[in-house]
Amino acid sequence: MNIFTLDDAERIPKGTAVSVGMFDGVHRGHRQVLNALHTFAKEIGTEPLAITFDRHPRYVLAGENNDFFLLNTNAERYRIMEECGIDNLLEIHFTQDTALLPACEFARKYLVEMLGIKGLLLGYDNMFGNKSANDFDKIPKLARECGFEIRSEKSLLCDGIEISSTQIRKALSRGDIALANRMLGYNYQISGTVVHGREIGRTLHFPTANIMCTDLHKMLPADGVYCVLLTLDNQAFEAICNIGSQPTFNSFGRTVEAHILDFDGYIYGKEITLTFIEKIRDIRKFDSTQELANQLNKDANVCRDFFRHHNIQNEKQCERF
């Protein structure tokens, strides 16, 4: 994929068909838009160009210390978009000045004057520009004046719900990993580094890898115990993951820990990826360490049984069009 910035203005393909958005999650609705963008570009005799931002507007408008989380890191987002057939991407550095631009001014400055686009594809809830300017509905008039075509893509439903990044965050926040995965069209992932923890798991003969997440802005699923695939050195292992506190030991800080099934190896300092498949249960306090150990063994058996009956693989999130 060619990733351009505004500094590359001379090299960015001109006269393209474009779609503008954060594409957070690159979920099934986004992929429907990207598919339509390819079709649109082909029909008007040009190539597709996706336009996105390096930072979510919420982090600029509300500050970095808010409780808003993303479904993808930029690297993940761009990798999935490339897998979906996007060969050219323009990344705009989002600033307070960018946020102040009304929609028509944004379109004229970037889409018309800089890129000379032939077409603009809008997703069903797709908007850009300063909302307080309230001029997004004037984009069709600008298109007629400047000679580019506009098309819109309808929403996509999953379980009767319009698929969106917001709905996926809601599903993750209540631990409904199955719904989140159906909306995404792939299994949700987080990545991080294995670090030293309290090593409580070893005392229970159930060693766990404590994981420090790579990006603190990336959303974690709700507290609970999950069936996951753990990828280490390009090899996938069946595992169970605990997100949340350790109430049995009166430890209430939120942590991410994973126990790799039938594995014995030194992995401190290793980079790993957790792919969330199914939620097993909620976190609860046990009356004794033995009761906890018994439950962990039950969790492991549930996970083994799940993988035995489901063909789960680490696959690409999206195939090229």
Side-chain angles (χ1 to χ4, degrees), residues 281-316:
R281 62 175 175 86
D282 292 329
I283 288 176
R284 67 183 181 89
K285 184 172 183 176
F286 294 89
D287 294 332
S288 68
T289 56
Q290 186 58 54
E291 187 181 349
L292 172 59
N294 292 341
Q295 181 62 55
L296 293 175
N297 281 302
K298 289 179 183 178
D299 295 340
N301 287 331
V302 169
C303 191
R304 288 189 185 94
D305 188 63
F306 183 88
F307 280 111
R308 191 178 301 120
H309 291 92
H310 296 80
N311 183 25
I312 306 295
Q313 298 178 345
N314 262 345
E315 298 177 344
K316 287 184 176 180

Side-chain angles (χ1 to χ4, degrees), residues 226-249:
Y226 295 86
C227 178
V228 302
L229 275 179
L230 185 150
T231 305
L232 167 68
D233 294 333
N234 296 316
Q235 187 174 356
F237 300 90
E238 297 171 5
I240 57 176
C241 174
N242 183 99
I243 296 180
S245 61
Q246 298 169 324
T248 303
F249 299 95

Side-chain angles (χ1 to χ4, degrees), residues 5-41:
T5 68
L6 296 180
D7 293 333
D8 303 310
E10 297 302 317
R11 298 194 303 114
I12 305 171
K14 306 299 189 294
T16 56
V18 307
S19 187
V20 183
M22 275 305 300
F23 301 102
D24 185 32
V26 199
H27 53 62
R28 288 171 54 205
H30 290 143
R31 294 203 293 282
Q32 178 174 271
V33 169
L34 295 176
N35 192 5
L37 181 62
H38 277 263
T39 301
F40 185 20

Side-chain angles (χ1 to χ4, degrees), residues 6-303:
L6 296 180
D7 293 333
D8 303 310
E10 297 302 317
R11 298 194 303 114
I12 305 171
K14 306 299 189 294
T16 56
V18 307
S19 187
V20 183
M22 275 305 300
F23 301 102
D24 185 32
V26 199
H27 53 62
R28 288 171 54 205
H30 290 143
R31 294 203 293 282
Q32 178 174 271
V33 169
L34 295 176
N35 192 5
L37 181 62
H38 277 263
T39 301
F40 185 20
K42 186 176 182 179
E43 289 177 355
I44 62 176
T46 187
E47 57 185 311
L49 172 71
I51 300 177
T52 192
F53 305 102
D54 64 337
R55 298 185 289 175
H56 197 286
R58 286 279 290 269
Y59 289 122
V60 175
L61 299 174
E64 294 284 333
N65 297 321
N66 61 61
D67 59 357
F68 181 75
F69 296 96
L70 297 171
L71 302 174
N72 295 139
T73 64
N74 282 354
E76 290 169 345
R77 187 160 51 106
Y78 298 165
R79 172 178 54 78
I80 301 171
M81 291 176 75
E82 182 177 24
E83 290 173 1
C84 292
I86 295 299
D87 294 322
N88 294 305
L89 178 80
L90 171 58
E91 178 193 83
I92 295 178
H93 178 50
F94 197 91
T95 65
Q96 290 285 355
D97 289 338
T98 312
L100 292 173
L101 287 175
C104 286
E105 189 174 340
F106 177 93
R108 187 179 294 277
K109 178 178 180 178
Y110 295 116
L111 308 187
V112 176
E113 296 176 359
M114 187 178 75
L115 298 176
I117 66 168
K118 287 186 177 181
L120 172 63
L121 179 69
L122 300 173
Y124 86 97
D125 63 348
N126 185 204
M127 291 184 65
F128 52 79
N130 188 333
K131 291 183 180 179
S132 63
N134 198 28
D135 72 338
F136 190 82
D137 59 350
K138 297 178 182 176
I139 293 291
K141 181 175 182 293
L142 178 68
R144 291 191 296 271
E145 293 174 355
C146 299
F148 64 87
E149 185 177 342
I150 292 181
R151 291 189 189 176
S152 299
E153 192 63 21
K154 295 180 180 179
S155 63
L156 188 65
L157 298 181
C158 178
D159 296 2
I161 304 169
E162 289 184 335
I163 296 175
S164 69
S165 302
T166 298
Q167 290 298 335
I168 295 168
R169 290 188 196 98
K170 287 181 179 179
L172 289 174
S173 70
R174 61 178 182 266
D176 193 346
I177 197 73
L179 176 60
N181 288 344
R182 288 198 298 276
M183 287 186 169
L184 286 166
Y186 60 88
N187 296 317
Y188 190 67
Q189 295 182 335
I190 62 171
S191 297
T193 305
V194 179
V195 298
H196 288 277
R198 299 174 63 190
E199 300 190 358
I200 291 173
R202 289 195 177 277
T203 67
L204 303 174
H205 306 290
F206 211 84
T208 59
N210 287 267
I211 299 149
M212 179 176 291
C213 294
T214 302
D215 191 329
L216 298 180
H217 291 313
K218 187 173 167 73
M219 186 168 190
L220 291 176
D223 289 1
V225 180
Y226 295 86
C227 178
V228 302
L229 275 179
L230 185 150
T231 305
L232 167 68
D233 294 333
N234 296 316
Q235 187 174 356
F237 300 90
E238 297 171 5
I240 57 176
C241 174
N242 183 99
I243 296 180
S245 61
Q246 298 169 324
T248 303
F249 299 95
N250 296 314
S251 176
F252 298 100
R254 198 169 194 230
T255 61
V256 180
E257 298 178 85
H259 170 74
I260 308 175
L261 303 182
D262 309 311
F263 176 87
D264 183 19
Y266 187 87
I267 60 174
Y268 288 115
K270 292 280 190 178
E271 298 293 323
I272 67 170
T273 296
L274 298 177
T275 302
F276 289 82
I277 309 299
E278 188 80 6
K279 185 177 179 182
I280 298 174
R281 62 175 175 86
D282 292 329
I283 288 176
R284 67 183 181 89
K285 184 172 183 176
F286 294 89
D287 294 332
S288 68
T289 56
Q290 186 58 54
E291 187 181 349
L292 172 59
N294 292 341
Q295 181 62 55
L296 293 175
N297 281 302
K298 289 179 183 178
D299 295 340
N301 287 331
V302 169
C303 191

